[in-house]
Amino acid sequence: QVQLAESGGGLVQAGGSLRLSCAASGRTFSSNVMGWFRQAPGKEREFVAAINRSGGSTYYAESVKGRFTISRDNAKNTVYLQMNSLKPEDTAVYYCAAGNWGTVVAAKTPDYWGQGTQVTVSS
């Protein structure tokens, strides 16, 4: 069992930056692929980024590639999402997720979800 808690959301102007953090409980953090998803009002939840167990491989949605960076610190049981050059269309609730590459990236149906943190980008 993995419990996830996101933090770092807030209100930012377009062009600004935010860093989201996700703290995971349990001893199995380093055995999980970690990901970030987001859900905008009236839209379905969508994949944003994922990182493999060691942190050596990452994968991004085309809409955030070059602007967002996912990273992890296995010693701190934490995964991060650095978001730069934010746009109003990035406004959403951002969710941390955990699983394996198949569930997080291929199927976009992670085994575990956090509660989410709101990111609002004003124009």
Side-chain angles (χ1 to χ4, degrees):
Q1 189 77 8
V2 177
Q3 294 184 327
L4 305 171
E6 303 94 336
S7 61
L11 174 64
V12 64
Q13 289 188 332
S17 298
L18 278 176
R19 189 176 82 154
L20 305 182
S21 299
C22 171
S25 66
R27 302 177 182 176
T28 61
F29 176 78
S30 61
S31 66
N32 280 277
V33 171
M34 300 299 297
W36 288 95
F37 290 70
R38 67 186 182 185
Q39 187 167 18
K43 295 187 177 181
E44 293 187 353
R45 193 174 298 189
E46 64 176 0
F47 171 81
V48 174
I51 188 165
N52 72 343
R53 296 172 177 84
S54 69
S57 182
T58 57
Y59 182 68
Y60 297 93
E62 284 297 323
S63 59
V64 306
K65 199 173 291 185
R67 299 188 298 122
F68 291 10
T69 301
I70 188 171
S71 61
R72 68 190 296 163
D73 186 337
N74 287 343
K76 295 182 178 179
N77 280 12
T78 302
V79 62
Y80 305 97
L81 186 68
Q82 178 67 42
M83 305 185 294
N84 298 329
S85 302
L86 282 162
K87 305 175 182 180
E89 51 264 44
D90 294 318
T91 295
V93 177
Y94 282 71
Y95 297 90
C96 179
N100 57 53
W101 203 256
T103 58
V104 175
V105 179
K108 310 294 193 298
T109 55
D111 301 311
Y112 305 100
W113 293 97
Q115 293 299 308
T117 185
Q118 177 70 46
V119 171
T120 303
V121 184
S122 63
S123 58

